[in-house]
Amino acid sequence: MKFSSKLLLWTMTVMAAAFGFSGFYFVNYVFETSLLREAGQALDENSILCFAFETAALNVPAKYDVLQDNTVEQIASNLETGGQNTSRMLRISDEEKNTIYASIGFEAGGGLLAQTDTATKTYRTIRMGGHYYIQTGSSLNALDRVLYLETLRDVSEVFNERALGFRVYRQVTLAMLLLGTFIMYLISSWLTKPIRLLTRATKHMAVGDYDYRARKVSDDELGQLTLDFNHMAEVLEENIGRLEDEIQAREDFVGAFAHELKTPLTAIIGYADMLRSRKLDEEKSFLSANYIYTEGKRLEAMSIRLLDILVAKHGQAQFQEVWTDSLFLYLRDMFKANETMHFVYSYDKACVWAERNLIITVLINLLDNACKASEPGSVIDITGREEEAGYRFMVKDYGIGISRQDVLKITKAFYMVDKSRSRSRNGAGLGLALCKEILSLHNSRLEIESIPGEGTCISFVLMKKKEGQYEKDGC
């Protein structure tokens, strides 16, 4: 069952119960009030009749010392037919509570009379002949006799009014419930509209429409829930987009890896088969063996780089305080054998927080890429300077440069701007991908600025130690 239907059903159930109990209480309250009023009037009438009977008894000629039964009957008959109320019904009983006179139709039992004594007036409501009556009973004194007077007052109208009240109230209640059902249907539909919109949004998202958003239609808690749901959908869409990008990147990685693996293996197998199946002269044998060796070294370098990337992604670096001048001195010693390039070093001495060997790997890869992108004899600037944000390492070449489109892809595994140039120098397109992962461990990133035909500048920033901590931390 829908929430709006439940809301409507429970609301109408509560309304029906409330109308039922309140109507029953109200009609019965009016009925009890009217009945008490009629009972009071019946008792007053009984008292008046008692007084009239006693007065009439005093006016009877004194033939006897005691009031005779026939005289009682005569007085009772006069009281019954006297006055404006011709429907008056009464009954007179003697000291033994035996009936002396009773109006025609007075068929009430003696139960009330049994409870009546000289000091007590009683009354009760009885049903007789399809009508309702209030029966009253009291005692009276007439010429030394104690008699009992009972009267019947027709109160059927009060009961008829109660029945009419219940009937009218049922009709009004039914009409109010029907009207209330219609109004509550509109209200419940309006209140649950945000829920329906959220349900529609979840169905859209279930079939892959992640950019669908629920419309906010209220400013209450459901409106806030809509905003939270939309925020959740945005985060979910971002995560799914990121996962899709990662899946696509993995597919590209696998495809590029298969391609990069296939090319040298095909050459190696071909030249090896040539050496195995043919007898070649010394020069051709050397060229074939050299090509096998060169491609094998490239495969070895590629496998090492892949392993380094995996370690950088899942490993934990051991950070320590490192003097920057020791890093530049290491690079100077490592590349001093390279006489084809002119390396220019310029750096500030500072202490950074890093994993020494990993940062050396980054710098070596950047220098290696700069050498591959430059012509022999070109200048390569290696710079280090202190900045407010940290310590910036910078490697700048004046080589072929990189286009804007390639700058966005250059850090992806196996991506090479100039594939033929990179392969000729044993490149596999993994250096910058490795640098990206290492710098990610250091909460840093590569910043690439390049102009095609003019050169490339690649830099990154590491956190440096604050002044006054060098001696304390061992820098």
Side-chain angles (χ1 to χ4, degrees), residues 155-308:
V155 292
S156 299
E157 188 65 25
V158 175
F159 284 85
N160 293 336
E161 288 177 355
R162 183 180 68 166
L164 178 61
F166 279 127
R167 185 166 59 253
V168 172
Y169 194 82
R170 281 195 297 269
Q171 295 174 353
V172 173
T173 299
L174 181 60
M176 292 296 295
L177 288 177
L178 291 177
L179 180 61
T181 301
F182 176 72
I183 295 175
M184 281 305 303
Y185 173 77
L186 297 179
I187 294 176
S188 62
S189 298
W190 175 68
L191 290 177
T192 58
K193 185 176 181 180
I195 300 177
R196 294 197 302 274
L197 293 177
L198 287 174
T199 302
R200 185 183 306 169
T202 56
K203 290 181 179 179
H204 277 272
M205 296 185 68
V207 297
D209 187 7
Y210 299 112
D211 59 348
Y212 187 85
R213 297 293 180 268
R215 182 164 56 92
K216 180 184 175 184
V217 294
S218 63
D219 295 323
D220 54 9
E221 291 83 356
L222 290 177
Q224 184 61 43
L225 178 61
T226 301
L227 293 179
D228 294 340
F229 178 86
N230 288 337
H231 177 68
M232 180 196 69
E234 291 174 0
V235 174
L236 180 61
E237 184 180 11
E238 292 176 0
N239 291 337
I240 291 176
R242 190 157 48 245
L243 289 174
E244 291 177 347
D245 292 341
E246 290 182 1
I247 292 174
Q248 185 62 42
R250 290 181 182 180
E251 292 178 352
D252 295 341
F253 178 88
V254 172
F257 177 75
H259 179 74
E260 292 298 326
L261 195 63
K262 179 180 178 181
T263 302
L265 284 178
T266 300
I268 290 173
I269 293 172
Y271 281 102
D273 183 64
M274 186 183 297
L275 290 173
R276 181 179 63 86
S277 60
R278 302 181 187 177
K279 187 174 182 179
L280 304 175
D281 55 38
E282 184 177 353
E283 181 181 0
K284 291 183 178 180
S285 296
F286 175 78
L287 291 175
S288 299
N290 183 66
Y291 196 89
I292 292 173
Y293 174 80
T294 302
E295 293 299 306
K297 292 295 291 182
R298 193 161 76 87
L299 286 176
E300 180 187 33
M302 183 171 63
S303 63
I304 292 174
R305 291 286 176 82
L306 283 173
L307 182 60
D308 289 340

Side-chain angles (χ1 to χ4, degrees), residues 83-100:
Q84 298 178 353
N85 188 2
T86 58
S87 62
R88 182 183 298 162
M89 300 176 68
L90 55 85
R91 181 169 61 184
I92 302 294
S93 301
D94 60 15
E95 293 83 349
E96 303 299 327
K97 297 183 179 180
N98 296 316
T99 301
I100 299 175

Side-chain angles (χ1 to χ4, degrees), residues 232-407:
M232 180 196 69
E234 291 174 0
V235 174
L236 180 61
E237 184 180 11
E238 292 176 0
N239 291 337
I240 291 176
R242 190 157 48 245
L243 289 174
E244 291 177 347
D245 292 341
E246 290 182 1
I247 292 174
Q248 185 62 42
R250 290 181 182 180
E251 292 178 352
D252 295 341
F253 178 88
V254 172
F257 177 75
H259 179 74
E260 292 298 326
L261 195 63
K262 179 180 178 181
T263 302
L265 284 178
T266 300
I268 290 173
I269 293 172
Y271 281 102
D273 183 64
M274 186 183 297
L275 290 173
R276 181 179 63 86
S277 60
R278 302 181 187 177
K279 187 174 182 179
L280 304 175
D281 55 38
E282 184 177 353
E283 181 181 0
K284 291 183 178 180
S285 296
F286 175 78
L287 291 175
S288 299
N290 183 66
Y291 196 89
I292 292 173
Y293 174 80
T294 302
E295 293 299 306
K297 292 295 291 182
R298 193 161 76 87
L299 286 176
E300 180 187 33
M302 183 171 63
S303 63
I304 292 174
R305 291 286 176 82
L306 283 173
L307 182 60
D308 289 340
I309 291 175
L310 293 176
V311 172
K313 281 186 175 182
H314 303 289
Q316 293 183 349
Q318 299 296 323
F319 292 94
Q320 59 184 352
E321 298 84 4
V322 180
W323 280 106
T324 57
D325 58 337
S326 66
L327 300 176
F328 289 103
L329 291 175
Y330 183 91
L331 294 176
R332 189 191 299 272
D333 293 338
M334 185 171 184
F335 284 89
K336 66 182 180 180
N338 188 340
E339 299 178 353
T340 61
M341 299 294 174
H342 181 58
F343 298 97
V344 178
Y345 295 90
S346 174
Y347 54 87
D348 300 329
K349 184 177 181 180
C351 190
V352 295
W353 182 254
E355 211 288 346
R356 176 185 173 85
N357 293 329
L358 292 180
I359 295 302
I360 289 177
T361 300
V362 172
L363 293 172
I364 290 175
N365 275 285
L366 295 182
L367 280 173
D368 186 54
N369 285 340
C371 293
K372 293 176 182 178
S374 304
E375 297 296 332
S378 299
V379 176
I380 297 177
D381 295 325
I382 303 98
T383 306
R385 66 169 182 262
E386 292 187 85
E387 296 180 352
E388 183 177 354
Y391 191 91
R392 182 176 294 277
F393 294 85
M394 185 183 306
V395 177
K396 184 176 182 180
D397 65 69
Y398 301 90
I400 60 174
I402 308 172
S403 67
R404 183 184 298 273
Q405 292 78 9
D406 290 329
V407 167

